[in-house]
């Protein structure tokens, strides 16, 4: 294992900012940049950082046992935004910008754009790119691999992680500024892996995420590693997800959890008046299917999504 500085910059208020990476495999020039794994880009992505820390630990053990095949190199970058993490902010400290909306970056741009440019310069060219991303809304959701539909995505490769679902989504404007999208259009088979947690560390989910990456690397011929086969992934599109919304604001009381099979009309939760405890509205499923996402906050706004259901997946 070799530790390297991916990017550094001075700061007049704090110590020097550094992005650190861990390189596994033979250390000579001209070797095969096989796989790059990137962790936390936001200051609240503790689970993503923890997963990468466990991955670094496991890869070090595997490297020492000779498990890295041939000239393959694996680069792990656990954290891209430790400044924000240290001060409890989600986005970049000085201007509240999101690093994962800055790619491929600009070497002469604003701080996060410069950071993205230097990071992308180092990670492009790998055969496979894996980003441990965080879900755009709070709540519980089923672990899955997600990728934007660029025309270069491969659901068959994504299924080799052995996670329950592979989800594709239509291109949105902000997708074009993400690491995964730019990896894809520059020739890297790229995947966003969602472990099921963000703000808190879930050791069990983290262990499954590490296993998923090691399983993928093994199936791609990068590692020699005996692993469980995992799931036969179901391929779904974002359009297969049906949002079930709350019709009133208040306390949210849930009756179901993720991965639970539900029927149309089934009571999923209730919205409670915060002042008198009366039931303001019932939240009932609008489709037969499986709960993919469930809000976990104590309160909910009117017309906010309380659940997402994968419709008719069980039929």
């Amino acid at each position: 294992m070799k530790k390297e500085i991916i990017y550094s910059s001075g700061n007049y208020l704090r110590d020097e900012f550094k992005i650190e990476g861990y390189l596994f495999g033979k250390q000579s020039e001209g070797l095969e940049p096989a796989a790059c794994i990137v962790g936390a880009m936001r200051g609240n992505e503790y689970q993503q950082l923890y997963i990468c820390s466990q991955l670094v630990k496991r890869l070090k053990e595997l490297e020492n046992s000779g498990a890295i095949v041939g000239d393959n190199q694996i680069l792990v970058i656990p954290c891209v935004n430790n400044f924000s993490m240290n001060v409890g902010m989600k986005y970049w400290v000085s201007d509240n910008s999101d690093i994962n909306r800055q790619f491929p970056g600009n070497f002469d741009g604003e701080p996060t754009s410069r950071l993205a440019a230097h990071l992308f310069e180092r990670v492009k060219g790998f055969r496979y790119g894996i980003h441990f991303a965080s879900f755009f809304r709070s709540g519980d959701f089923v672990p899955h691999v997600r990728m934007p539909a660029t025309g270069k995505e491969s659901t068959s490769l994504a299924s080799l992680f052995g996670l329950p679902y592979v989800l594709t989504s239509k291109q949105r404007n902000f997708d074009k500024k993400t690491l995964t999208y730019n990896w894809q259009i520059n020739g890297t088979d790229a995947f966003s892996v969602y472990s099921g947690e963000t703000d808190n560390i879930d050791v069990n989910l983290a262990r499954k995420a590490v296993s998923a990456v090691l399983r993928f690397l093994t199936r791609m011929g990068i590692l020699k590693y005996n692993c469980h086969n995992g799931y036969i992934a179901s391929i779904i599109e974002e359009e297969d997800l049906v949002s079930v919304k709350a019709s009133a604001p208040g306390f949210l009381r849930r009756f179901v959890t993720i991965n639970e099979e539900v029927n149309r009309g089934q009571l999923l939760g209730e919205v409670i008046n915060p002042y008198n405890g009366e039931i303001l509205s019932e939240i009932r499923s609008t489709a037969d299917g499986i709960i993919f996402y469930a809000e976990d906050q104590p309160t909910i706004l009117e017309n906010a999504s309380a659940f997402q259901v994968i419709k008719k997946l069980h039929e």
Side-chain angles (χ1 to χ4, degrees):
M1 182 183 78
K2 176 186 176 184
K3 183 177 177 180
E4 66 174 85
I5 303 300
I6 306 297
Y7 174 68
S8 65
S9 66
N11 190 303
Y12 68 96
L13 293 176
R14 301 172 66 98
D15 290 338
E16 184 181 18
F17 172 76
K18 296 178 182 178
I19 298 175
E20 298 177 344
Y22 297 85
L23 188 64
F24 300 90
K26 296 178 181 178
Q27 302 298 313
S28 57
E29 294 293 331
L31 298 182
E32 176 68 28
C36 179
I37 299 101
V38 177
M41 287 198 198
R42 296 167 180 165
N44 66 331
E45 293 179 344
Y46 297 103
Q47 174 81 344
Q48 288 71 19
L49 176 57
Y50 178 76
I51 291 169
C52 284
S53 74
Q54 299 307 295
L55 195 55
V56 167
K57 179 181 178 182
R58 192 72 185 95
L59 285 172
K60 183 178 180 181
E61 296 169 351
L62 290 169
E63 182 183 49
N64 290 338
S65 66
I68 298 179
V69 176
D71 292 337
N72 290 300
Q73 288 188 333
I74 304 167
L75 176 63
V76 182
I77 304 173
C79 186
V80 177
N81 193 359
N82 52 46
F83 265 7
S84 297
M85 191 167 283
N86 288 340
V87 297
M89 290 182 63
K90 182 176 181 178
Y91 298 124
W92 190 251
V93 173
S94 61
D95 60 6
N96 207 37
S97 59
D98 186 351
I99 295 171
N100 202 31
R101 299 293 184 269
Q102 301 292 329
F103 290 96
N106 180 356
F107 289 103
D108 298 316
E110 297 298 319
T112 47
S113 185
R114 294 198 303 271
L115 186 158
H118 284 276
L119 176 63
F120 193 64
E121 183 68 19
R122 177 63 181 91
V123 305
K124 69 181 183 181
F126 279 83
R127 257 189 297 153
Y128 306 109
I130 301 167
H131 176 213
F132 281 108
S134 60
F135 210 48
F136 64 91
R137 55 163 66 102
S138 63
D140 302 323
F141 55 92
V142 180
H144 62 284
V145 182
R146 181 184 293 249
M147 57 184 67
T150 62
K152 298 184 178 183
E153 75 280 1
S154 173
T155 56
S156 59
L157 284 179
S159 66
L160 297 181
F161 284 89
L163 291 175
Y165 300 102
V166 172
L167 190 148
T168 62
S169 60
K170 292 181 179 179
Q171 287 186 37
R172 296 158 292 194
N173 287 335
F174 67 79
D175 284 326
K176 297 180 180 180
K177 291 292 187 178
T178 63
L179 173 60
T180 301
Y181 177 92
N182 281 275
W183 252 338
Q184 279 189 21
I185 64 173
N186 281 274
T188 294
D189 285 313
F191 315 91
S192 294
V193 176
Y194 292 78
S195 73
E197 185 55 78
T198 299
D199 300 80
N200 300 294
I201 293 174
D202 187 310
V203 174
N204 184 48
L205 288 176
R207 188 180 299 116
K208 292 179 179 178
V210 170
S211 294
V213 171
L214 297 179
R215 184 183 301 119
F216 178 82
L217 296 179
T218 299
R219 288 171 171 173
M220 292 298 99
I222 298 169
L223 287 179
K224 291 184 293 185
Y225 177 72
N226 293 321
C227 57
H228 188 275
N229 287 333
Y231 294 88
I232 299 174
S234 297
I235 312 298
I236 59 176
E237 298 179 358
E238 199 160 38
E239 291 73 20
D240 295 323
L241 300 179
V242 177
S243 289
V244 184
K245 299 181 179 181
S247 60
F251 285 132
L252 175 63
R253 181 159 60 193
R254 276 173 33 180
F255 299 138
V256 295
T257 187
I258 57 170
N259 250 337
E260 187 171 333
E261 188 172 323
V262 297
N263 299 314
R264 181 188 296 271
Q266 180 176 336
L267 184 63
L268 307 182
E270 294 174 336
V271 179
I272 309 299
N273 188 309
Y275 293 100
N276 59 29
E278 293 182 356
I279 297 174
L280 293 174
S281 72
E282 294 181 337
I283 304 174
R284 294 185 177 274
S285 180
T286 56
D288 298 331
I290 296 171
I291 298 293
F292 179 80
Y293 161 82
E295 177 62 78
D296 69 348
Q297 296 300 301
T299 61
I300 193 166
L301 298 175
E302 184 177 0
N303 292 323
S305 292
F307 303 93
Q308 284 184 311
V309 178
I310 305 171
K311 58 183 178 182
K312 298 182 180 179
L313 190 63
H314 62 290
E315 295 184 352

